Amino acid sequence: MNKVKKREKYELFGSKITVEYMDCVISDDPEHWIYGHCREHGDKFTIQISLEDVDGKPMTKDSIERTLRHELFHVICSRGQYINVGDDEPLIEWLSLCTFTLNKQGLKI
Ligand SMILES: [Zn+2]
């Protein structure tokens, strides 16, 4: 089933961010499994994150966290009107990976 299993709410300079964890996030067009995505509605952002991979196996905690970081960087860029930066997928993924790695070493980032 593809219902929301857990929901978290955050706030970033007046914008509300809702994170929804679900078994499987599907892209719109074309429809296929994805790690996660972010939708913007005015000053609200909704991030959806897959808890299972394309084969239905549970994602690791680390993978889920990296996906969350990736989607949050999209929100951060969009909220700051850094639209072109937010469209740079390799950069967004690099920021996610770097902050994840630093956090694993104890830096609260
Ligand atoms: Zn992305």
Side-chain angles (χ1 to χ4, degrees):
M1 286 302 295
N2 204 23
K3 64 177 191 173
V4 175
K5 297 242 169 124
K6 186 171 101 176
R7 187 173 277 118
E8 298 169 344
K9 292 186 183 281
Y10 302 98
E11 186 272 337
L12 185 67
F13 301 111
S15 293
K16 296 193 180 335
I17 305 167
T18 302
V19 182
E20 298 177 340
Y21 297 89
M22 48 212 307
D23 286 342
C24 178
V25 179
I26 303 293
S27 65
D28 289 336
D29 189 23
E31 287 190 1
H32 61 87
W33 176 91
I34 51 177
Y35 284 92
H37 65 183
C38 174
R39 290 211 169 92
E40 184 174 354
H41 333 268
D43 65 345
K44 294 182 179 141
F45 296 87
T46 302
I47 293 171
Q48 292 185 319
I49 295 178
S50 288
L51 295 173
E52 295 178 352
D53 68 15
V54 69
D55 297 320
K57 295 185 185 128
M59 303 289 285
T60 64
K61 192 168 167 268
D62 285 357
S63 178
I64 292 167
E65 182 183 332
R66 284 197 307 269
T67 302
L68 174 59
R69 287 173 180 271
H70 179 107
E71 300 306 332
L72 283 172
F73 276 115
H74 279 303
V75 170
I76 290 166
C77 289
S78 180
R79 183 62 185 83
Q81 298 300 312
Y82 293 100
I83 308 301
N84 292 339
V85 177
D87 287 342
D88 188 338
E89 286 295 332
L91 174 62
I92 295 294
E93 185 59 22
W94 179 239
L95 291 169
S96 166
L97 188 59
C98 288
T99 57
F100 173 81
T101 300
L102 290 167
N103 186 264
K104 280 283 190 189
Q105 297 168 60
L107 184 65
K108 291 188 177 181
I109 183 170

